[in-house]
Amino acid sequence: MKADEIRETFLAYFENKGHRRVPSSPVIPQDDPTLLFTNAGMNQFKLALLGKEKRDYSRATSCQKCIRASGKHNDLEEVGRTARHHTFFEMLGNFSFGDYFKKEAIEYAWEFMTEVLRLPTQRLWISVYKDDDQAYAIWNSRIGVPAERIVRLGDVQQGDEENFWSMGDTGPCGPCSEILFDQGEEMSCGPHCGIGKCNCDRYLELWNLVFVQFDRSPDGNLTPLPRPSIDTGMGLERIAAVMQKVQSNFQTDLFRPIIAEMEEIVRRGYSSGPEGMPFRVIADHVRALTFALADGALPSNEGRGYVIRRILRRACRFGRTLGMTEPFLYRLVGPVVDIMARPYPELKEKREYVALVIKTEEERFGETLDQGLELFRKAVQVVQASGQKTIPGREAFRLYDTYGFPLDLTVDMAEEIGLQVDLEGFHEEMKLQKQRAKQASRFREEENQWTILSEGPHSRFIGYDHERATVVIRRMRMATDYIDLVLDQTPFYAEAGGQVGDRGELRGEGIEIEVTDTFRSADAVVHRGKLLKGNIREAKGSLTAQIDSQRRSATARNHTATHLLQAVLRQVLGEHVRQSGSLVAPDRLRFDFTHFSPLSPKELERVEASVNAKIREDIPVSTFETSLEEARRMGALAFFGEKYGERVRLVKIGKESLELCGGTHVKATGQIGQFRLVSESGISAGIRRIEAVTLFSTPRSTG
Ligand code: GLY
């Protein structure tokens, strides 16, 4: 039975049992900050399982794209060593939201396995949680599985979470029961082989039935749910291997074409023994990369992006062991898309984009990979010559810092030759480097000390509604060529979110200051400028602060144009376009965004025309505040580099654009005037830059 058929048979079976067929959610979770990647079918149903969300169905079935390469469920290091672990896999599942419970879940699973797929019952084993007598009785008395094929496992109190499933550190969880398939004695790892006793491939965990009974809170407490639910998960790759009578997932039709293409590229044959590991790692990793990138992730140095980078670099390194010194991974995207585009049509249009991202990253890492490997080789020589077994943390850090070797890659390489890495030493080096960076920046900040002129709250921004205000100076500091002032309140916008700081003037009795820049430093808004007249220390009473209104208006036009530009780029190029930086000045704007190839002249033309069309529509621009959670729910675009508080400000341009933004904007797009592209270029891997201007001419009277 082909994998495509198994997937369809499963979903149809549960549809027949009154389950709603729900499409897979993206591998990048949309609204769950506790997860970097979707790691189970239940993720998208989390609130329904907890009884916190009502849906118009109480039973669901899905085939979910999952990535397990970080956090609680992380199989990265097992990949390639076993026949059954993956970073990316598909999970078939059926779910009950306070509807049926253990009995039906077990009966459905058994019927599907033995009557639909017709697996031989005597090869199916069952595991239940240590004291789950209820599940045991259902399997034993109701279904008729003999006691010798039912195993009790796990003990949460003792820290053994076997047969107790949870999504992460918090959320829905409960005891579970698994159906395992005995692949036969010839797969056994020896006398100690057995369920819960070893990690070999003989007893293949096929299907996990979770009896969701608790909500785990961050302090680890388990709160019983008012209505228990069901969450099940069966790895498609594993059941495909069983149905196709092969002993490894990598021999199924989900992997064979990828491995065949690899054999072509590296001009070597694959074998399922230990020598085949690089093939398995690469085939697995390219699937994870393809799905993650297609769903909007990008390699970077943090969080999710760093997991992507680690997976990619790991694959590159294994490529080297197959003699691949040129980029090659990207050539495997084609076979992945060919196999998977039917169930996941979103892959089709991303095919070239994904290949390009991967190729660019491969080229980049390729530049330092060889030097890094050389450094590693030398470090190993030194360690071995001195009869030691541990690579110093300092060397691992150098590999990380200078050659881009993720720590786990170095650990992997060390383990392969029976060495270990001094992890503590590595983290110590990392800490030292951070301290050095911090000290350097603190030194700059403290060069000039502040003088307090008046006490009280400071830096309240009133500039959305006022361009002029009466203010009091709270503190000042002088340098030879400038003066910095912090005020009680201010109409001056401090540089943020790409928008430049306001300019203007401060005037009081006998005092005149020209403000040339405004920016934030810690929690204060600093007005930097020149003292034109008077002595600040003797300044009595209040001053009048007036911003340069024309400059502010010109900046606002460019800022609103930037939001339109982002909206249009997403329409023209695709939803993967995300702002990665910007500059909004009175005379120009610059917008950096994620995209992997230069824009064609046609695309540029469309972008410019489309922004101008939206300007002519004179769409009203409004702003409002809401919670970060609500903003996310509304699908507002946020700029990843930025930190947001609980309350956020949203800027809305009709139906065209909704962005988290603290900047100043025009009241309607018509005020922008005209939008002209100036240039388009690449600034780093996967990041393009557009520069543009807006031209505003005051309508001339014709009378
Ligand atoms: N959510 C069930 C599993 O991942 O096994």
Side-chain angles (χ1 to χ4, degrees):
M1 208 178 195
K2 292 210 161 87
D4 275 353
E5 254 173 280
I6 300 172
R7 195 190 290 111
E8 179 52 36
T9 307
F10 181 95
L11 296 171
Y13 171 84
F14 280 102
E15 254 180 335
N16 252 323
K17 304 280 182 198
H19 292 61
R20 171 75 59 87
R21 188 191 286 227
V22 179
S24 172
S25 63
V27 285
I28 312 301
Q30 301 299 288
D31 47 15
D32 190 340
T34 67
L35 283 178
L36 287 184
F37 295 99
T38 302
N39 66 7
M42 51 73 67
N43 292 171
Q44 65 167 322
F45 303 117
K46 181 171 148 180
L47 294 178
L49 288 166
L50 291 174
K52 290 184 181 165
E53 182 196 48
K54 279 265 147 296
R55 300 199 171 204
D56 58 0
Y57 48 86
S58 58
R59 300 173 168 212
T61 182
S62 68
C63 179
Q64 174 67 47
K65 310 182 271 188
C66 298
I67 290 186
R68 290 192 173 174
S70 62
K72 188 172 177 68
H73 297 281
N74 183 354
D75 290 334
L76 185 67
E77 257 127 65
E78 301 289 347
V79 174
R81 294 184 210 284
T82 73
R84 61 181 199 282
H85 285 99
H86 301 291
T87 53
F88 171 86
F89 66 101
E90 290 173 84
M91 186 181 279
L92 299 164
N94 57 291
F95 307 89
S96 147
F97 312 125
D99 185 323
Y100 61 84
F101 199 45
K102 290 186 192 180
K103 182 171 81 65
E104 291 86 341
I106 290 174
E107 283 171 350
Y108 288 149
W110 191 253
E111 184 178 66
F112 183 76
M113 290 303 224
T114 60
E115 288 176 34
V116 181
L117 298 186
R118 297 183 175 281
L119 293 179
T121 51
Q122 69 282 5
R123 292 180 74 173
L124 296 177
W125 285 65
I126 303 299
S127 68
V128 297
Y129 183 65
K130 180 179 93 154
D131 47 21
D132 191 350
D133 297 332
Q134 207 186 4
Y136 188 97
I138 299 172
W139 282 117
N140 187 227
S141 320
R142 240 192 125 78
I143 306 280
V145 178
E148 60 272 21
R149 290 212 312 275
I150 308 180
V151 188
R152 290 178 185 262
L153 293 176
D155 190 343
V156 176
Q157 260 89 43
Q158 300 300 317
D160 176 0
E161 295 222 345
E162 198 60 53
N163 280 50
F164 189 94
W165 201 85
S166 42
M167 180 188 100
D169 295 333
T170 58
C173 57
C176 59
S177 173
E178 290 190 319
I179 303 178
L180 301 96
F181 184 77
D182 180 2
Q183 304 220 72
E185 242 193 292
E186 64 278 16
M187 298 282 284
S188 165
C189 60
H192 299 293
C193 184
I195 296 170
K197 296 187 194 143
C198 70
N199 190 32
C200 85
D201 287 320
R202 172 168 178 182
Y203 295 98
L204 191 59
E205 288 167 10
L206 283 181
W207 199 343
N208 187 12
L209 316 179
V210 186
F211 311 128
V212 185
Q213 282 167 278
F214 307 103
D215 182 4
R216 198 197 301 247
S217 54
D219 58 10
N221 269 342
L222 298 177
T223 313
L225 295 174
R227 300 179 60 184
S229 290
I230 289 294
D231 149 32
T232 86
M234 167 148 70
L236 176 66
E237 296 74 6
R238 291 187 184 183
I239 188 70
V242 169
M243 295 305 290
Q244 293 171 18
K245 298 197 168 45
V246 291
Q247 284 169 339
S248 156
N249 297 358
F250 295 94
Q251 291 164 312
T252 65
D253 60 341
L254 290 165
F255 284 92
R256 274 199 316 268
I258 311 173
I259 292 185
E261 178 73 19
M262 231 157 52
E263 291 180 313
E264 283 281 308
I265 297 176
V266 305
R267 297 176 189 284
R268 287 192 207 188
Y270 167 65
S271 96
S272 50
E275 336 63 84
M277 178 163 167
F279 284 87
R280 292 189 288 276
V281 170
I282 292 167
D284 170 89
H285 287 10
V286 75
R287 292 199 333 150
L289 293 169
T290 303
F291 276 91
L293 297 172
D295 276 347
L298 270 177
S300 76
N301 276 336
E302 269 165 7
R304 179 179 299 136
Y306 195 56
V307 177
I308 299 293
R309 185 158 273 171
R310 274 162 49 202
I311 294 177
L312 194 138
R313 295 191 168 182
R314 198 159 180 264
C316 289
R317 207 275 295 184
F318 275 102
R320 282 292 200 276
T321 68
L322 294 175
M324 296 312 297
T325 49
E326 295 294 313
F328 70 99
L329 258 186
Y330 76 100
R331 290 165 67 185
L332 301 172
V333 172
V336 174
V337 175
D338 290 341
I339 300 166
M340 303 300 252
R342 218 157 58 130
Y344 306 105
E346 69 272 20
L347 293 178
K348 266 188 270 178
E349 59 174 276
K350 299 282 170 63
R351 188 188 196 117
E352 262 131 53
Y353 163 76
V354 168
L356 205 58
V357 180
I358 294 182
K359 185 165 179 234
T360 316
E361 269 286 305
E362 283 189 271
E363 279 165 357
R364 228 171 156 197
F365 186 47
E367 285 166 18
T368 56
L369 178 54
D370 290 321
Q371 289 162 290
L373 288 173
E374 182 56 25
L375 176 78
F376 179 77
R377 205 179 50 77
K378 285 198 184 130
V380 168
Q381 264 176 2
V382 174
V383 170
Q384 284 172 337
S386 61
Q388 308 269 317
K389 287 242 163 269
T390 308
I391 296 179
R394 196 180 57 249
E395 300 295 346
F397 185 74
R398 238 176 101 197
L399 279 168
Y400 164 84
D401 198 38
T402 315
Y403 301 102
F405 279 46
L407 177 62
D408 49 5
L409 185 57
T410 308
V411 170
D412 248 15
M413 298 195 307
E415 273 174 5
E416 278 168 25
I417 45 174
L419 298 182
Q420 22 175 327
V421 175
D422 171 14
L423 300 179
E424 225 170 89
F426 174 89
H427 292 298
E428 189 55 33
E429 290 288 332
M430 183 81 113
K431 217 162 82 199
L432 285 176
Q433 198 201 39
K434 283 198 177 132
Q435 270 167 7
R436 282 194 296 272
K438 214 156 142 194
Q439 266 158 6
S441 69
R442 192 174 302 143
F443 178 68
R444 279 199 300 277
E445 276 298 310
E446 287 173 358
E447 269 170 329
N448 286 306
Q449 292 296 336
W450 291 97
T451 308
I452 312 283
L453 295 191
S454 70
E455 298 285 348
H458 63 84
S459 302
R460 189 162 76 90
F461 179 60
I462 53 170
Y464 291 133
D465 310 309
H466 304 276
E467 299 196 339
R468 170 199 284 265
T470 305
V471 302
V472 175
I473 303 176
R474 290 286 188 234
R475 345 177 198 142
M476 61 164 276
R477 71 182 169 193
M478 297 270 247
T480 39
D481 51 350
Y482 64 81
I483 174 170
D484 281 344
L485 299 173
V486 174
L487 310 173
D488 61 336
Q489 56 170 4
T490 180
F492 283 75
Y493 180 84
E495 180 197 334
Q499 179 177 330
V500 297
D502 271 330
R503 290 186 187 164
E505 58 179 28
L506 296 166
R507 277 172 191 273
E509 236 183 80
I511 288 197
E512 229 179 286
I513 299 152
E514 181 192 350
V515 177
T516 51
D517 196 10
T518 313
F519 56 91
R520 271 193 175 276
S521 171
D523 60 342
V525 171
V526 180
H527 304 74
R528 177 160 293 181
K530 283 192 209 101
L531 182 62
L532 302 180
K533 205 170 106 191
N535 182 342
I536 301 256
R537 278 175 214 275
E538 285 162 16
K540 300 255 164 359
S542 53
L543 305 174
T544 301
Q546 167 72 51
I547 66 163
D548 177 341
S549 302
Q550 279 193 0
R551 189 169 178 275
R552 163 78 80 82
S553 305
T555 309
R557 289 195 286 274
N558 284 336
H559 204 153
T560 309
T562 310
H563 285 213
L564 282 181
L565 176 61
Q566 166 149 256
V568 165
L569 286 170
R570 288 166 63 83
Q571 281 162 17
V572 173
L573 303 177
E575 304 257 303
H576 62 274
V577 168
R578 285 276 166 149
Q579 173 177 351
S580 70
S582 73
L583 170 74
V584 180
D587 57 338
R588 69 206 157 99
L589 66 95
R590 192 172 76 204
F591 185 70
D592 299 340
F593 59 101
T594 50
H595 183 60
F596 262 85
S597 50
L599 272 67
S600 67
K602 255 219 168 71
E603 284 169 333
L604 288 171
E605 229 169 79
R606 266 184 69 196
V607 168
E608 190 178 85
S610 191
V611 172
N612 279 317
K614 292 184 199 310
I615 291 175
R616 280 195 301 276
E617 277 175 49
D618 201 16
I619 310 164
V621 179
S622 56
T623 59
F624 57 97
E625 271 198 13
T626 182
S627 67
L628 183 57
E629 209 181 304
E630 177 64 11
R632 283 229 174 85
R633 211 189 50 71
M634 295 168 79
L637 292 180
F639 173 37
F640 283 129
E642 205 91 326
K643 270 214 187 81
Y644 296 103
E646 248 319 290
R647 301 289 298 168
V648 293
R649 181 172 182 264
L650 289 177
V651 175
K652 181 170 185 286
I653 311 181
K655 289 192 177 56
E656 300 298 332
S657 154
L658 185 64
E659 285 192 37
L660 268 72
C661 176
T664 58
H665 288 265
V666 298
K667 298 255 175 301
T669 58
Q671 294 169 8
I672 295 173
Q674 217 192 82
F675 174 81
R676 287 253 180 91
L677 287 177
V678 174
S679 74
E680 191 271 342
S681 57
I683 54 163
S684 65
I687 311 283
R688 311 293 307 171
R689 167 170 292 177
I690 279 184
E691 291 180 282
V693 292
T694 57
L695 309 172
F696 183 74
S697 50
T698 333
R700 245 184 287 153
S701 151
T702 48

